[in-house]
Amino acid sequence: MTGLRLEQIEDGGFAEVQWLVEGVPESVIVHRDGDTARAWLNICPHAGRSLEVAPGHFVKTRDGHLLCAAHGATFELAHGECVGGPCRGQHLVAVAVEVRDGEVRQR
Ligand code: FES
């Protein structure tokens, strides 16, 4: 269903995929962390915009946080919590994923 291989994502980087999440087509941010991956809906809790700066391109701050390009919210990558900007304390919606045989899939 995904076709996304972990090796396609730079370690520490991000990819955007279109997945069915609970039956709904969604844009999903996949973050690679070494041999593992985490994923969230590509919907900022501030104003509901997608986070990327250009299609499929996400910005990481010098602090190692994911930046929402719309109004500058920043999210830590362990739990997707907003740690700076207009929605501080809110969270991205997690999508459960696993890496199996090198492929990133929803759990
Ligand atoms: S929509 Fe992300 S900071 Fe406003």
Side-chain angles (χ1 to χ4, degrees):
M1 178 169 98
T2 73
L4 178 67
R5 298 200 57 81
L6 190 67
E7 66 200 19
Q8 292 176 261
I9 311 171
E10 180 186 345
D11 192 12
F14 306 93
E16 189 263 344
V17 292
Q18 301 286 327
W19 279 348
L20 278 183
V21 179
E22 296 178 4
V24 178
E26 299 276 12
S27 169
V28 175
I29 305 165
V30 180
H31 167 58
R32 178 177 175 183
D33 182 5
D35 292 336
T36 63
R38 287 187 279 283
W40 303 277
L41 295 184
N42 186 14
I43 300 172
C44 181
H46 172 229
R49 304 263 289 267
S50 59
L51 283 81
E52 68 259 58
V53 66
H57 293 278
F58 298 88
V59 173
K60 201 172 184 180
T61 68
R62 261 191 273 169
D63 296 339
H65 299 143
L66 172 61
L67 176 76
C68 177
H71 314 106
T74 53
F75 299 85
E76 54 81 27
L77 296 171
H79 305 100
E81 180 180 351
C82 180
V83 291
C87 49
R88 186 184 288 263
Q90 296 184 57
H91 289 75
L92 298 170
V93 175
V95 177
V97 293
E98 63 182 1
V99 178
R100 189 180 298 177
D101 299 329
E103 188 171 337
V104 185
R105 318 162 168 220
Q106 286 187 72
R107 269 194 278 155

